[in-house]
Amino acid sequence: MTVHAIQTVHSENAQRLVILGTGGTIAGRAAQAGDNVGYVAGQVSVGDLVAAVPTLKELCLDVEQVAQLDSKDMGFSVWKALAARVAFHLERPDVKGLVITHGTDTLEETAFFLQSVLKPTKPVVLTCAMRPATALVPDGPQNLSDAVAVARHTDAQGVVVVCAGQVHCADDVTKVHTYRLDAFDSGDAGPLGCVEEGAVRLFRPWPLALAAGYVDASIHARVQASLALPRVVMLTSHADMDGLMVEALLAQSDSGAAQPLRGIVVAGTGNGTLHKDLEAALLKAQAQGIRVVLTSRCIRGRVLTHLGQRLSEVSGLSPVKSRIALALALLAD
Ligand code: SIN
């Protein structure tokens, strides 16, 4: 993947921000302006997205295209390149903070990855859009303008997400809607704040520099030294579930797979309950040294441990974030 040259857009104001582009619907293009769903994500350059927002004209911005993809295809190689560029810019004394344009589909995963790996003391604000850049009324320009307002806020720190006027913490945010412009929710925690006419109103403190999760302080160096994350798969318990997928994963790992299975995150029903056949297979995997982490497929709440629980590891994060947290923990082992 190519990391493009930094383009300095404006230079009058001392408070420098860096805008990194990674693609997504915010950079999407449709054949017809009225089409909000039949578009190709990751087409418009981040330089053009910035140039389309009049409120950014007076600011001192460095703009850089790190990737250009539909975020359904997000993966470790892009995360690694992105973390390297974010870390590079965070260390520049003249940089106040960063904004990253990103697709909505895996936005919460990238935000959680960056928060876990970098725990930045400056703001790193991910933003997105539900409508392509070519829409009759695109939402990307307002989201980008709001994200910049958050990155410029005096006390801002940590990785946050800005969408539809709301600010969400990386640890809490989840995409909850397929189509609506306010597609994100922070569950029981609620949003961190909101942006109203360019002013940030906070409901609770900025994220701590330390992430919830398993990672240690040297994790960024380990990420940069690695070709892939340890293999952790995610399964969901449901009616008629069985243990066949777990058995197949164990058999494949036993037969010398290129990337051996190291962990399984299972999204249980309700308070982490599992179909008995799936649970039996997971206990077998756990006995063979595979890390098995129990989460819930419920959109709100967390798994509360109880007497008689047979899987030893439980996570209060969503299943997709638990997968990242476990993979990073295994990387740090
Ligand atoms: C993507 O995630 O890249 C496409 C979908 C979106 O951004 O809404």
Side-chain angles (χ1 to χ4, degrees):
M1 182 191 26
T2 316
V3 173
H4 297 272
I6 301 171
Q7 174 193 351
T8 298
V9 178
H10 309 289
S11 58
E12 304 84 30
N13 191 312
Q15 213 186 36
R16 184 177 295 275
L17 297 180
V18 177
I19 318 267
L20 303 180
T22 70
T25 293
I26 191 169
R29 205 179 264 138
Q32 292 174 5
D35 192 348
N36 287 332
V37 290
Y39 58 85
V40 181
Q43 301 295 303
V44 181
S45 76
V46 65
D48 286 349
L49 296 181
V50 170
V53 183
T55 53
L56 305 185
K57 287 209 177 349
E58 304 309 315
L59 304 179
C60 179
L61 304 175
D62 288 350
V63 180
E64 184 181 336
Q65 192 83 50
V66 176
Q68 187 64 296
L69 80 164
D70 186 321
S71 81
K72 71 180 175 57
D73 299 322
M74 185 54 72
F76 180 69
S77 61
V78 178
W79 280 347
K80 182 172 153 177
L82 186 59
R85 295 313 291 160
V86 172
F88 168 80
H89 291 297
L90 285 172
E91 278 163 20
R92 292 171 58 196
D94 59 330
V95 168
K96 161 77 178 80
L98 283 85
V99 170
I100 302 172
T101 57
H102 196 288
T104 60
D105 285 349
T106 56
L107 183 80
E108 69 219 56
E109 294 178 59
T110 299
F112 181 77
F113 178 84
L114 291 175
Q115 174 65 15
S116 301
V117 168
L118 299 172
K119 307 174 190 74
T121 50
K122 293 180 186 178
V124 175
V125 185
L126 282 85
T127 195
C128 57
M130 289 297 286
R131 292 180 182 159
T134 49
L136 289 173
V137 186
D139 52 330
Q142 185 64 54
N143 286 343
L144 185 52
S145 178
D146 288 350
V148 165
V150 172
R152 297 182 77 207
H153 188 277
T154 322
D155 306 320
Q157 64 171 32
V159 180
V160 296
V161 168
V162 167
C163 182
Q166 291 193 313
V167 189
H168 302 274
C169 286
D171 288 2
D172 304 318
V173 68
T174 301
K175 185 174 180 182
V176 293
H177 207 280
T178 56
Y179 183 71
R180 265 180 18 199
L181 302 190
D182 59 337
F184 289 89
D185 189 88
S186 281
D188 289 341
L192 178 78
C194 61
V195 188
E196 297 162 329
E197 298 297 302
V200 179
R201 183 157 63 97
L202 282 185
F203 306 146
R204 53 196 179 91
W206 295 101
L208 293 174
L210 279 175
Y214 304 84
V215 296
D216 72 15
S218 63
I219 195 68
H220 183 228
R222 286 185 189 247
V223 161
Q224 293 306 327
S226 302
L227 292 175
L229 283 175
R231 183 148 182 255
V232 177
V233 301
M234 202 183 99
L235 299 173
T236 303
S237 190
H238 52 79
D240 283 334
M241 186 50 169
D242 54 39
L244 286 182
M245 270 196 277
V246 176
E247 297 287 355
L249 286 164
L250 293 179
Q252 191 207 24
S253 238
D254 288 347
S255 67
Q259 235 207 319
L261 180 70
R262 302 285 308 282
I264 301 174
V265 169
V266 58
T269 36
N271 187 31
T273 52
L274 297 170
H275 189 291
K276 60 181 174 24
D277 296 343
L278 174 63
E279 185 177 44
L282 290 170
L283 287 167
K284 183 173 159 192
Q286 188 174 258
Q288 289 184 17
I290 306 293
R291 296 268 299 268
V292 181
V293 172
L294 179 62
T295 67
S296 175
R297 68 182 208 183
C298 290
I299 203 130
R300 289 193 176 227
R302 64 194 172 96
V303 177
L304 300 167
T305 52
H306 53 87
L307 281 178
Q309 186 172 296
R310 298 167 75 199
L311 289 174
S312 48
E313 295 190 63
V314 169
S315 165
L317 296 163
S318 68
V320 290
K321 290 179 189 171
S322 298
R323 189 194 74 84
I324 297 167
L326 178 55
L328 290 174
L330 288 162
L331 196 65
D333 271 353

